[in-house]
Amino acid sequence: MVDGFRPVTLQETLNIRSQYNCTPIAGGTDLMVQKARGFALKPGFEQPLLFIGHLPELQKIVIKNNQIHIGSGLLLTDLLNSEIIPEIFKEAVRLMASPPSRNLASIGGNICNASPAGDTLPYLYAVDAKLVLKSVRSERLVSIGEFITGPKQTALGQDELLTEIIIPNKIFNVNYYKKVGQRKGMSLTKAVFLGMTDIKNDNLTDIRIAFGSVSPKIVRSREIERTIVGKPTFEMITAIPEILAKYALLIRPIDDARSTAVYRKKVSLRLLEDFLRKIDKEK
Amino acid sequence: MRESISKPIQRVDGSAKISGEAKYIGDMHFENMLFAKTLRSSRVKAKIKSIIKPELPEGYFIVDKDDVPGFNRMRTVVSDHPLFAEDNVEYIGQPILLVVGPERETIYDIITHISIVYDDLEPLYTLEEAEAKSTVFTDYHYDKGEPDKAFAVAVTIIEDEYHTGYQEHVYLEPQGMAAEYRDDTMFVYGSMQCPFYAEGALTEALGWDAKRIRVIQTVTGGAFGGKEEFPSLTACQVAVAALKTKRPVTLIYDRDEDIICSTKRHPSIVRYKAALNQNNDVIALDVDVLLDAGAYNGLSPVVLQRAIFSVTGVYNYLHLKVRGRNFMTNNVPSGAYRGFGAPQTIFGTEMLMHNIALKIGVDPLDYKMRHMLRRGDPTCMGGKIRDIVKLPEIITRVTEMSDYRNKVQNNVKYKGIGASLFLHGCGFTGNGEQTIQGKIILKKSGENVILKVSSTEMGQGAETVLRKIVAYSLDLPIEKVLCEAADTGLVPDSGPTVASRTTMIVGGLLRQACLELKDRWDEAEEFEVSRSYKHPDFLNWDNDTFQGDAYPVYSWGANVAEVEIDPVTYEINVKKISAVYDVGMPIDETTLRGQMQGGIVQGVGWATIEVMTTDKGKLIQKNLTDYKVPTSMDIPKIDCEFVSNPYEFGPFGAKCAGELPFVGAPPAVVAAVSNALNVPIYSIPITPEDLMEMDSHEN
């Protein structure tokens, strides 16, 4: 039996991927925990591992055509050290796990883990990130929303590899990010809210709103966002009840070991309200 | 004359721990060592109908109740926990058998192929259900004064009920034990607080004389009570396995396994009836304490004793009626945890006083100060407060440090400040010290002195403190004072390392022995001096009626906590704790500060983020992903000071210290949260989920 592969190049990696059923692994901060058996035993992986964290092709971060291309093998720490990653995205990354985990965990891993509580996801949904999926036979571009099909479920083909994440090289005027955890550090998310907006001449020209941990997938509604865009900022306060009511229908959290459905829903809507009130104050 | 003993020195155990040289149980290797893994009950309460075992490969063993040569029970206060389950299982995680062998993978495979046929029985899930069904393990009562008369003449009667939750110890390394049978002796090594507890348990499990048993503590990275009685269970299991297999056996838990099956702080319900006179002062208290002991009683009776002996906190109520009960439920057994029952009742009483003050419109701190104990006052059990109570000085200082008076008057919503007053009875409860009769030996060996005690270093600084007491008493450099290993074959039984007794009781014995050794120093190159505990004549205690001096002396303290509540999320941000303590005299101020900071942080955790609950006998927060203790980012600014109040019978005046800070922090933090949102709080941990709900009702 083959325990694992450690290819040297991306091309070699894709070849292996096309020939074997295997599990790509970068830092392993999610996979090693999910497959742990305890008792100092090796984790119980059903398939051979394909080590990709070291591949040089996955370590680049560049701006092309006003888009930021992020290699999927980049560590969370690399994102924090980068000068071109937008600050609000860094804020999300900074509140993830602990420094040792951030020195191991890759951005690609956090996306492919497809957790409803994945901390990079609200931002990626909000900016409609595009993912590059490569295989020996093809290369395709899918949006983050298409890629994640459910909790722990993705559209990644058996021979494909997530190689790159593409986000716009853009910073919004107003940025709001709040992760609610059980404690201040090293905590999984009870609920997370991200809001970004552009304001020109007292009018909202763009708005992005995303909620995490409160639904099987990240909640983002372009439809509701479209109804807000174009409004003057001074009308935000009066629009709040209607906007909250619309999002309330989409937020369907659960009770679990970390929090309650009631709290998650309330806190999400309160964060949204707080964000909308802040817009009202922006001129 | 030497500098004050309080002046800090470098921790004697520091460099080995920092460099990684220290050998924890997981670092121990024996020739031909076998590994053991526990098969546990998956049922809350059931009869074991049959156990279907696969054929074992050569060199692999199953160790169960039939292999125990002696008594299949873990010896403690109430020896009711089977080492290996017999006919029934009483909680999820109860050990049934061990699979032992040379390869971990094979052991794992054997475990997964053992099937147990259960016949489920009707379990008891909660304290409330247990009360309804009266599954009482222990039922204690005591009175003071004439409570019935006092209630009959009361102007106002206030009734309140307070709840506290589980708490997991989260010591650095999970439980671990190894046993080696050689030279007709059973050697047991492990992470533990009380080697002689384990030795006592082994004598019964093996049916052997203690001479054939040696228990040796390995470096222990924290215990907090979690390694008081529980290691006796694993010590017996692993010794039985070593005896059966004739090979050394190690049994080391994973964290997740440890959390599921190890003891925790007792969940509690404390019900109060307070009789108030025309001045709104409490003249009588009727208290009913309920603890969830879990499936076995174990040492819970003694936890219950400290709980009910602490119900009056620092207050002098003239009349009292106290009842305490341990209940049997089908939850994981509760056990020792820093504070040992006192945190539950001190929390209740502090919040009761806080909430009465709010009802009658008085500042809670002022209201509490109207009831404080003074020197000469009787204790709740009819003993006596013999030493000066320095609470007035402590309160003055802590209110200055925190600017309490100013801040409490300029209260803004979402910002809160709260104070707690507290004490802790030093040393064993009741006649514990007389029963244990702790013994110590000092050996002069040339220029060196070797101290022989069974008190264990478990991160709290015991070795530094004890060596320092000897070094200062004999005027020797600390390097000349050595400490024998905590090995029951080499040291006398100084009693367990529990109940904040090590510095005061064991350190006190060492100090006395030093005085003799100093006198006789030139007698010979090598000789020993020993001391055994003698109960001071002035202390009286009747363990049947609970009357007299339950403790020889008390340590005292006051905390002021400042919090901010996030107005959107209701997250609790503990900003600052100001703390002033009277522990007699600090033996090493840095070590002591470490204890105080650690106790505060653990107390803040218990009061706020450490949510641990069960659903039908199953722990919901059963790993460190879901059960959270404070990180360095959650720790508030801590300002800590000490007032000097030397205790005549303590070494250099020292009293107890280790548990005191834990007791004080929760009521201060909760009082501050209550102040921030102007809501009464009756239950901890208090979470953002609760606060959001309370505040929305308030609006």
Side-chain angles (χ1 to χ4, degrees), chain B residues 225-280:
Chain B
K227 290 168 183 171
E228 177 172 342
E229 75 279 27
F230 190 89
S232 295
L233 179 73
T234 47
C236 292
Q237 291 173 341
V238 81
V240 170
L243 194 64
K244 179 169 184 171
T245 61
K246 306 279 182 283
R247 303 255 301 260
V249 178
T250 67
L251 176 66
I252 297 179
Y253 291 172
D254 294 319
R255 178 69 66 183
D256 293 8
E257 180 180 19
D258 188 297
I259 291 177
I260 286 168
C261 69
S262 68
T263 52
K264 329 221 167 295
R265 187 182 299 285
H266 293 71
S268 77
I269 298 173
V270 186
R271 298 194 185 113
Y272 293 89
K273 250 188 269 176
L276 273 56
N277 64 12
Q278 67 280 5
N279 299 328
N280 282 322

Side-chain angles (χ1 to χ4, degrees), chain A residues 39 183-184 258-259 263 270, chain B residues 254 567-569 573 629 689:
Chain A
F39 198 44
R183 63 182 175 197
K184 289 178 197 154
R258 295 192 284 276
S259 189
Y263 176 78
R270 288 174 70 91
Chain B
D254 294 319
V568 179
T569 65
N573 194 349
V629 297
E689 284 80 356

